[in-house]
Amino acid sequence: MSDPALLPSPAFLAAFRRTAGTPAQLGFADFMRLALYDPEVGYYGAARRRVGRNAETDFYTASTSGAVFGELITAAATTLLGRADPREFAFVEIGAEAPAPGQPAPGILQGVSHPFGAARTIPLGHEMALSGPCVVFANELLDAQPFERFAFRRGGWRRLGVAEREGRLAEGELPGPATADFLPARAPEGYLVDAPLAATTLLEKIAAQPWTGLFLTCDYGRTLHELLTEYPAGTARAYHRHRQSNELLAQPGEQDLTCHLCWDWLADTLRRHGFVEPKVETQESFFVKHAGAFLAAASAAEAKGLSQRKLALMQLLHPAHLGQKFQVLHANRPG
């Protein structure tokens, strides 16, 4: 990180020192909370555009595809509600981008005709209150939560943290061995595990509230077995101006940090709170299976030409684009 542009800003360093105390060292999840969510120096705390396709944004999501994504989610949710009347349910989107001052919170149902009795959006970082029959939806919310990092070194697991050294940030081991019941007894030397524990904590908070109905989230993740055996370098990465990198400590507060979710942990959380048979499907499979009638009608309407709507559908479904990269976790909790 020799490029001065990638070094921490003076404001971030001051915030890091205040948070860490002496010695100036934080666990990786605590570093992420500062780098992403601090109201003064955090990536999500700043008033900036993060999502989009232009050069000033950092990444794009399914919601960037416009109204067609909301239409697909609406069609799939209606199918998954079964015989229940969607008019009896409130559609609640959690974790949408915060609105501009004086503007309503944007959401995937903005401009979409839908059958739900009500629709509301809870912006990222706002308190949530859920009750009654709901369709609770989140798009790339859980992967934005802080994660811990563990490394197998010298015969045991070590918890990783971030320290400040003469104005620079460096990753290193925290004192003492790491204890976590999901870590195997042995692993190859240097094997890294990025553990999205805060994502499970957030889902626990969502699921513990007194609401019934359907939970849906679009995100990317792997099983615990895959995370522990197939990703020796971990799954953590940074995004800045549509460039993915492994420079997790570069320009903190100016770039997004993320890792793969653990679907097993999230599905188990839903089961503990009364959700029935949580399922994880690729985004492509999910929409083909649960929004098939909508897709058939949309495909027929867009059969000729190459409209923006058709391009959006292709991007959302094609395996080479978002169709395989993203998965959908869904489950119902009966009333």
Side-chain angles (χ1 to χ4, degrees):
M1 210 164 32
S2 57
D3 185 348
L6 302 181
L7 295 175
S9 68
F12 187 88
L13 282 175
F16 185 93
R17 291 165 182 152
R18 286 195 305 270
T19 304
T22 304
Q25 187 176 45
L26 293 172
F28 197 85
D30 290 329
F31 163 75
M32 278 191 68
R33 288 186 184 92
L34 182 68
L36 294 184
Y37 291 106
D38 184 87
E40 295 182 359
V41 299
Y43 176 74
Y44 287 106
R48 63 157 68 90
R49 288 194 64 193
R50 288 168 281 270
V51 181
R53 296 184 178 280
N54 62 63
E56 301 303 314
T57 58
D58 297 313
F59 53 89
Y60 65 87
T61 72
S63 61
T64 317
S65 301
V68 68
F69 181 58
E71 293 168 346
L72 281 165
I73 291 293
T74 295
T78 303
T79 299
L80 289 167
L81 288 175
R83 296 182 179 181
D85 186 348
R87 292 173 296 183
E88 297 177 358
F89 291 78
F91 186 97
V92 185
E93 182 179 354
I94 298 175
E97 281 284 294
Q103 299 296 316
I108 64 160
L109 296 192
Q110 191 172 38
V112 173
S113 177
H114 63 81
F116 306 112
R120 62 188 177 101
T121 302
I122 302 175
L124 187 68
H126 287 223
E127 285 299 315
M128 65 186 81
L130 304 170
S131 62
C134 292
V135 174
V136 176
F137 172 75
N139 183 52
E140 290 193 72
L141 169 64
L142 296 178
D143 74 78
Q145 306 309 304
F147 54 86
E148 295 283 3
R149 305 200 83 201
F150 298 91
F152 193 84
R153 295 172 181 168
R154 306 182 303 282
W157 288 99
R158 315 292 168 178
R159 183 167 165 252
L160 301 183
V162 179
E164 187 246 327
R165 298 170 184 167
E166 299 181 349
R168 296 173 180 265
L169 298 178
E171 190 172 62
E173 298 176 10
L174 297 179
T179 56
D181 57 7
F182 57 86
L183 293 172
R186 301 289 303 176
E189 179 69 17
Y191 197 100
L192 282 172
V193 172
D194 294 306
L197 300 172
T200 306
T201 301
L202 177 56
L203 183 57
E204 185 87 29
K205 181 178 179 181
I206 294 169
Q209 297 199 41
W211 64 277
T212 59
L214 174 65
F215 176 77
L216 277 171
T217 187
C218 300
D219 226 311
Y220 39 80
R222 293 291 184 267
T223 66
L224 180 59
H225 176 74
E226 289 170 330
L227 294 175
L228 296 178
T229 61
E230 298 180 12
Y231 292 89
T235 64
R237 63 264 193 203
Y239 287 96
H240 182 71
R241 299 297 187 261
H242 300 279
R243 185 179 70 88
Q244 177 182 320
S245 80
N246 296 321
E247 295 281 359
L248 304 182
L249 308 186
Q251 51 196 357
E254 299 293 326
Q255 65 176 4
D256 192 23
L257 298 171
T258 185
C259 79
H260 277 8
L261 299 175
C262 178
W263 291 127
D264 295 330
W265 293 350
L266 300 174
D268 286 346
T269 298
L270 292 175
R271 289 189 192 96
R272 286 198 305 273
H273 287 277
F275 287 83
V276 179
E277 297 183 5
K279 290 184 175 63
V280 177
E281 300 174 280
T282 65
Q283 184 167 288
E284 173 194 21
S285 175
F286 175 79
F287 285 136
V288 168
K289 187 182 299 183
H290 305 293
F294 171 85
L295 283 173
S299 298
E302 301 292 335
K304 296 180 180 179
L306 195 61
S307 67
Q308 287 300 117
R309 183 175 174 82
K310 187 172 184 178
L311 287 171
L313 281 169
M314 291 171 60
Q315 183 185 66
L316 290 167
L317 298 174
H318 198 284
H321 295 290
L322 303 182
Q324 289 289 329
K325 177 182 178 181
F326 285 88
Q327 298 89 52
V328 183
L329 170 66
H330 60 92
N332 276 288
R333 178 161 58 185

